[in-house]
Amino acid sequence: MLVLALDTASPTVSVALHDGTSVLASVTGADAMHHGEQLAPAIARALAEAGRAMGDVTAVATGVGPGPFTGLRVGVVTARTLGASLGVPVHGVCSLDVVAEQARAEGRDGTFAVATDARRKEVYWAAYETAGDRVRRTSGPQVARAADVAALLGGDVPVIGRGADLYADDLARGEGPSDPDAGVLAALVASGRADVVEPEPMYLRRPDAVPPGARKRAS
Amino acid sequence: MLRVSSPLVLGIESSCDETGVGIVRGTELLANAVASSVDEHVRFGGVVPEVASRAHLEAMVPMIEKAQADAGVSVADVDAIAVTCGPGLTGALLVGIAAAKALALAYDKPLYGVNHLVAHVCVDQLVHGPLPRPTAALLVSGGHTSLLLVDDVATDVQMLGETIDDAAGEAFDKVARLLGLPYPGGPHVDRVARDGDGTTIAFPRGLTGGRDLDRHRFDFSFSGLKSAVARHVEHEERMGREISVPDVAASFQDAVCDVLSAKTMKACVANGVEHLVVGGGVAANGRLRQFVEERAARHGIEVRVPPPVLCTDNGAMVAALGAAVVSAGLPPSSLDLAADSSLPVTRVVA
């Protein structure tokens, strides 16, 4: 087994390879954003570091967000095209689940939430609870203002992720990872513990566009 | 470095609202799979970048598979992957670029990020054979209005002039809306104008006189024309007169076609060019072709217009330019190739 995992739902591009036992290589983009530029070289580097070839890949996993659309699409179209080209399955996983799983693996227990940056003073968020070696999503993903998420969760539910870092005044920020790590995503998929969905972006927002109104006068 | 005489190239186009994947062998067209999201933009009266980008994501893999099936070749067999990396809508371009990189990685093929405008010129080689040197090109679409001088399609392209505001196709869309015609406006204005008289209203010809001509000899401007049409329609309404939609459409269309063809002829003469390619979606406009062909004949200029399916955005044109670039022995792009929304025509390969 060789799972190629990638996530582009956060400002940081993350790529990893997992052989069913452990993470063989993990590459993180050097700068924030520029997903379109950084993703393909990161995949090439991960393969080189692991000493594997593209033909060895048996499955592709991709974070499907929610996240800023343009970067997110770079990851999803890359995963779909690789899957179709290599003739291997493509597994989509909610990127917030990946952050939650890492928090669990690092020792977080009980009820918590994950929030990431949705821009426009909003966060993408979901609530989780741990159950043995798994995390279970109990609500979300949704997009909302941080203060509204706090009101919904109640004051004592810790929130982890970049959204909690950004809105520490509104949310009860807890210790944990900021962004999805493709190594964690790869392990989730390789172990069969992922809540797998179609490789389809979780946009959660409609495109910003309104049909034109009455014509503006030129004179 | 790769240098193949008739290279087999797959090209991907996603700079606006068409998801195109084409396959060519040298100048031979093997496949041209295109999906358009135009219907999704109709209610907005113009291309919405996020709507276009979402549609590209959904259409990309199906178009890659359709192109392979239509051509009867596998990506495994191609010599190179080419992709439009600009100019165009950044978010839309990125979908095609990411897909092209994934193909390059999966099949271990060289990747060429190529110029969308130059691809619009190069596509003519699939229909009318090698481009004579030099060739001028008038590219007119909803996003571009450019006049190019092409000495070598792979290595030597210059911008002679371009629109300083709206693209000609955009002006067609806006005027169509003013006249209550559907989006996209070009074909509807063209159709309605056939029943009208283009000499009825003397609409302005942008950048054709005085100081404008010194500074913008081969540039275009359609924003003022669009406003002039709006003012005319409003004036007639105030006067309580019913406008003649065919006459307004024909007068507007003639103003556009007059200035496009006149400046193109002047540019050809000034540069000693005897061959002209007309491309882009507006090249399908019957009146533009009539204007250009009549005037070109007077100047002894040969006009080449690809069929409409190759004038609108498509993947075959990208593959055609990729093949020209591979044949010229140019080095491939790097895997960190970026989208460049304003890629200059002087950069044929990024």
Side-chain angles (χ1 to χ4, degrees):
Chain A
M1 178 195 286
L2 187 66
V3 177
L4 168 63
L6 52 99
D7 188 282
T8 58
S10 81
T12 312
V13 168
S14 180
V15 175
L17 286 163
H18 196 289
D19 68 355
T21 309
S22 62
V23 173
L24 302 183
S26 176
V27 177
T28 303
D31 344 305
M33 311 313 297
H34 303 290
H35 300 82
E37 289 150 66
Q38 297 187 80
L39 180 59
I43 293 170
R45 214 176 101 202
L47 284 165
E49 280 180 15
R52 299 298 186 94
M54 196 52 99
D56 300 333
V57 171
T58 58
V60 178
T62 181
V64 293
F69 306 153
T70 300
L72 183 57
R73 262 191 297 269
V74 166
V76 172
V77 77
T78 300
R80 286 189 190 177
T81 308
L82 286 174
S85 302
L86 302 170
V88 302
V90 182
H91 306 294
V93 176
C94 172
S95 300
L96 302 176
D97 290 3
V98 179
V99 177
E101 164 61 13
Q102 185 176 345
R104 183 207 61 79
E106 290 174 359
R108 181 160 292 284
D109 196 20
T111 302
F112 66 100
V114 173
T116 59
D117 184 13
R119 300 175 182 170
R120 303 180 193 177
K121 298 178 179 166
E122 291 188 317
V123 293
Y124 295 119
W125 72 282
Y128 294 87
E129 62 185 20
T130 58
D133 69 343
R134 287 174 188 241
V135 279
R136 197 170 67 85
R137 188 173 351 119
T138 54
S139 105
Q142 293 173 53
V143 60
R145 294 173 76 91
D148 297 339
V149 175
L152 213 67
L153 286 171
D156 51 356
V157 175
V159 184
I160 61 165
R162 186 173 289 269
D165 304 342
L166 279 170
Y167 299 100
D169 290 348
D170 293 313
L171 300 169
R173 183 173 174 275
E175 281 297 306
S178 289
D179 295 320
D181 179 332
V184 176
L185 168 60
L188 263 180
V189 168
S191 66
R193 288 178 299 126
D195 182 3
V196 169
V197 295
E198 288 296 309
E200 185 72 40
M202 291 180 166
Y203 289 118
L204 306 189
R205 283 179 182 142
R206 282 183 218 281
D208 265 340
V210 283
R215 152 184 128 214
K216 280 181 284 190
R217 300 200 71 87
S219 55
Chain B
M1 198 179 298
L2 184 67
R3 187 166 193 151
V4 184
S5 63
S6 281
L8 186 62
V9 178
L10 178 141
I12 297 181
E13 157 63 33
S14 71
S15 66
C16 191
D17 60 344
E18 259 91 35
T19 313
V21 180
I23 300 176
V24 305
R25 190 188 304 276
T27 57
E28 182 194 354
L29 174 65
L30 301 184
N32 186 26
V34 184
S36 176
S37 61
V38 63
D39 293 345
E40 297 174 55
H41 303 287
V42 168
R43 69 193 186 101
F44 302 111
V47 174
V48 179
E50 177 60 21
V51 172
S53 299
R54 289 185 184 194
H56 285 310
L57 173 63
E58 298 317 317
M60 191 54 71
V61 170
M63 287 306 109
I64 292 170
E65 293 188 335
K66 183 171 191 300
Q68 291 178 82
D70 290 353
V73 300
S74 158
V75 185
D77 304 326
V78 306
D79 294 302
I81 310 289
V83 63
T84 298
C85 63
L89 305 168
T90 302
L93 289 165
L94 276 169
V95 177
I97 293 172
K101 289 179 180 178
L103 289 180
L105 279 171
Y107 293 98
D108 193 22
K109 302 292 181 184
L111 171 76
Y112 291 83
V114 300
N115 190 298
H116 175 82
L117 292 176
V118 181
H120 267 302
V121 186
C122 193
V123 73
D124 190 64
Q125 299 200 125
L126 303 179
V127 188
H128 300 113
L131 288 168
R133 299 174 61 176
T135 291
L138 172 66
L139 304 179
V140 201
S141 70
H144 308 280
T145 308
S146 308
L147 197 45
L148 311 185
L149 179 60
V150 181
D151 190 46
D152 182 322
V153 78
T155 58
D156 187 353
V157 182
Q158 293 172 56
M159 178 75 80
L160 296 175
E162 62 188 325
T163 182
I164 61 167
D165 42 55
D166 291 353
E170 207 177 340
F172 272 94
D173 292 338
K174 288 173 178 172
V175 166
R177 214 181 131 226
L178 271 169
L179 299 178
L181 301 171
Y183 172 88
H188 297 286
V189 171
D190 194 9
R191 174 177 51 82
V192 171
R194 274 178 221 144
D195 299 323
D197 177 355
T199 62
T200 321
I201 309 142
F203 286 129
R205 270 65 168 161
L207 304 181
T208 52
R211 277 216 302 271
D212 281 343
L213 206 50
D214 299 336
R215 283 178 52 212
H216 294 291
R217 193 172 173 208
F218 301 133
D219 288 331
F220 305 99
S221 166
F222 299 106
S223 176
L225 170 59
K226 169 203 68 192
S227 300
V229 176
R231 277 194 304 273
H232 172 79
V233 170
E234 286 161 17
H235 179 75
E236 294 302 295
E237 282 172 354
R238 264 199 306 274
M239 295 293 136
R241 292 194 287 256
E242 198 169 320
I243 60 159
S244 159
V245 170
D247 286 344
V248 175
S251 299
F252 157 76
Q253 180 167 266
D254 277 14
V256 173
C257 297
D258 179 20
V259 72
L260 283 173
S261 55
K263 289 209 176 205
T264 300
M265 292 309 132
K266 284 188 180 135
C268 286
V269 170
N271 288 280
V273 181
E274 293 170 354
H275 307 275
L276 170 70
V277 170
V278 183
V282 182
N285 182 284
R287 189 72 174 141
L288 177 62
R289 292 184 60 155
Q290 200 182 339
F291 261 94
V292 168
E293 279 163 6
E294 279 174 19
R295 289 178 175 178
R298 259 184 266 150
H299 291 94
I301 295 165
E302 177 218 20
V303 181
R304 298 163 51 139
V305 188
V309 67
L310 294 178
C311 276
T312 49
D313 291 349
N314 64 86
M317 69 186 205
V318 180
L321 181 54
V325 158
V326 168
S327 298
L330 298 182
S333 309
S334 118
L335 264 189
D336 67 0
L337 173 71
D340 184 346
S341 61
S342 54
L343 186 72
V345 292
T346 47
R347 289 196 73 191
V348 177
V349 186

